[in-house]
Amino acid sequence: MASESLAGALADVLGGGGPRVHSCDSLPAEEPAAPVRLRKNVCYVVLAVFLNEQDEVLLIQEAKRECHGSWYLPAGRMEPGETIVEALQREVKEEAGLQCEPLTLLSVEERGPSWVRFVFLAHSTGGILKTSKDADAESLQAGWYPRTALPTPLRAHDILHLIELAAQYRQQARHPLILPQELPCSLVCQRLVATFTSVGTVWVLVGTTGTPHLPITACGFTPMEQRGGMKVAILRLLQECLTLQHLAVETKGLLGLQHLGKDHIDGICLNLLVTVAFRNPGIQNEPPKIRGENFVWWKVIEDDLQSQLLQRLQESSVIPVNR
């Protein structure tokens, strides 16, 4: 096995990057893997959290009939042909009047593969704050409000957790600055850094079809995969090579994200850190046995990579993925 190229790919993924997706190791059995299209079978939402030096939050007042007059963070649906960052910048300009740059992804939220929201910590780079004189169909106005004294009514209280997440990150960053990597992907898929650890040693699951690589699983759009969320595709891949009844599988979080959005290619690839462990560890010092010939465990012997993996695992140094 070409451990040198694997080490390079793993280092890229741990750094927020990673190679382009060319094929998947696991596909949904119930349906063909059709390319995803915004407004047809997927909806992506972008949301921005801004905090200024006075610990104030940027909020916008909604103009939509169903939530008219309520307050929320700048957010909206992505349009075909946009990158994730372009969508974020457009929404902030339309709703708040400001130009901005994202600093890092803070959170990814999903309701199955057909609905995904990307939450960013961002900062203003210019523009003029929208006032009530500028009210339009996008928003009534925008304003800065103390983080501990937000205006009411809020459109939804889900933003309270996101504002606190941003404040905590500014105080002490739990993960590196991570922004989407502009690479095309035709499906909604997940690249797994699936790990097994024992006594300071780390093994990583590797796909062996073609060049050895970090395995990729494609999400399906059946009712079951929608109800179960994107973790269903992770468990599907692992079930193809492991006996899961004696194992505990946990998605720790996001290491990076790939998307392009040009030329009608609307797929995404989430690079995820996953742990595999025995439910009753006992004296098990070796990873669980692999079934079949399409996957193997790769023992990470490079000191730097091993220490990075252990640190990211122990400190949960990843972007949370929530349902």
Side-chain angles (χ1 to χ4, degrees):
M1 187 164 59
S3 60
E4 187 175 330
S5 61
L6 271 174
L10 179 57
D12 285 346
V13 170
L14 290 174
R20 176 177 173 176
V21 175
H22 291 286
S23 61
C24 294
D25 297 275
S26 178
L27 296 166
E30 302 86 353
E31 58 184 25
V36 299
R37 294 285 185 270
L38 277 173
R39 292 185 174 175
K40 292 185 179 179
N41 55 2
V42 293
C43 173
Y44 302 146
V45 177
V46 290
L47 181 147
V49 185
F50 293 80
L51 292 171
N52 64 17
E53 295 304 316
Q54 291 74 45
D55 200 28
E56 294 173 323
V57 184
L58 178 67
L59 295 178
I60 61 99
Q61 192 173 33
E62 296 283 8
K64 303 182 193 74
R65 187 183 351 174
E66 63 270 21
C67 52
H68 190 274
S70 61
W71 294 87
Y72 206 65
L73 293 167
R77 295 183 181 187
M78 286 178 56
E79 300 289 345
E82 292 181 314
T83 68
I84 295 173
V85 170
E86 287 170 350
L88 183 81
Q89 292 170 329
R90 174 184 53 76
E91 287 291 346
V92 172
K93 185 71 169 66
E94 290 174 351
E95 295 190 342
L98 300 180
Q99 278 115 33
C100 75
E101 288 293 336
L103 296 171
T104 184
L105 272 162
L106 276 179
S107 173
V108 173
E109 300 164 339
E110 53 101 353
R111 299 175 190 165
S114 65
W115 190 95
V116 185
R117 182 162 76 170
F118 306 105
V119 178
F120 289 88
L121 178 64
H123 72 107
S124 173
T125 58
I128 299 173
L129 191 68
K130 193 172 189 176
T131 68
S132 57
K133 294 179 182 178
D134 308 310
D136 57 20
E138 300 294 339
S139 67
L140 301 179
Q141 60 180 317
W144 292 94
Y145 293 91
R147 182 164 60 88
T148 56
L150 301 180
T152 55
L154 296 177
R155 181 181 126 190
H157 285 79
D158 62 338
I159 64 172
L160 298 177
H161 165 70
L162 300 176
I163 292 168
E164 287 309 304
L165 192 65
Q168 291 166 11
Y169 189 87
R170 285 216 320 177
Q171 186 175 12
Q172 184 175 5
R174 287 186 61 182
H175 57 77
L177 297 172
I178 296 173
L179 292 173
Q181 188 183 18
E182 293 185 6
L183 283 178
C185 183
S186 62
L187 305 173
V188 175
C189 58
Q190 300 167 94
R191 176 184 282 116
L192 307 187
V193 179
T195 62
F196 177 87
T197 60
S198 175
V199 199
T201 302
V202 186
W203 287 262
V204 172
L205 189 68
V206 169
T208 57
T209 302
T211 304
H213 58 276
L214 297 173
I216 296 174
T217 181
C219 296
F221 292 89
T222 62
M224 184 193 75
E225 296 220 15
Q226 287 296 115
R227 286 193 304 271
M230 294 174 72
K231 187 174 182 180
V232 171
I234 297 174
L235 294 176
R236 182 193 343 110
L237 181 143
L238 294 177
Q239 281 174 337
E240 292 170 6
C241 61
L242 298 170
T243 303
L244 293 186
Q245 65 190 60
H246 303 300
L247 301 174
V249 176
E250 181 184 359
T251 301
K252 302 297 286 186
L254 186 79
L255 295 165
L257 166 66
Q258 296 175 355
H259 169 269
L260 185 61
K262 307 297 184 183
D263 302 319
H264 307 291
I265 301 176
D266 295 327
I268 56 173
C269 179
L270 307 179
N271 295 334
L272 296 173
L273 183 60
V274 175
T275 58
V276 177
F278 289 103
R279 293 185 186 278
N280 300 304
I283 56 171
Q284 299 278 4
N285 294 325
E286 297 287 324
K289 186 177 179 181
I290 297 282
R291 291 186 285 108
E293 300 178 351
N294 294 331
F295 301 91
V296 296
W297 287 108
W298 168 48
K299 187 175 183 179
V300 180
I301 57 174
E302 292 81 359
D303 289 342
D304 182 52
L305 281 180
Q306 188 180 91
S307 62
Q308 276 192 68
L309 275 169
L310 289 171
Q311 179 260 328
R312 302 291 286 269
L313 288 165
Q314 290 163 3
E315 299 178 13
S316 293
S317 178
V318 287
I319 294 167
V321 179
N322 300 312
R323 242 181 97 62

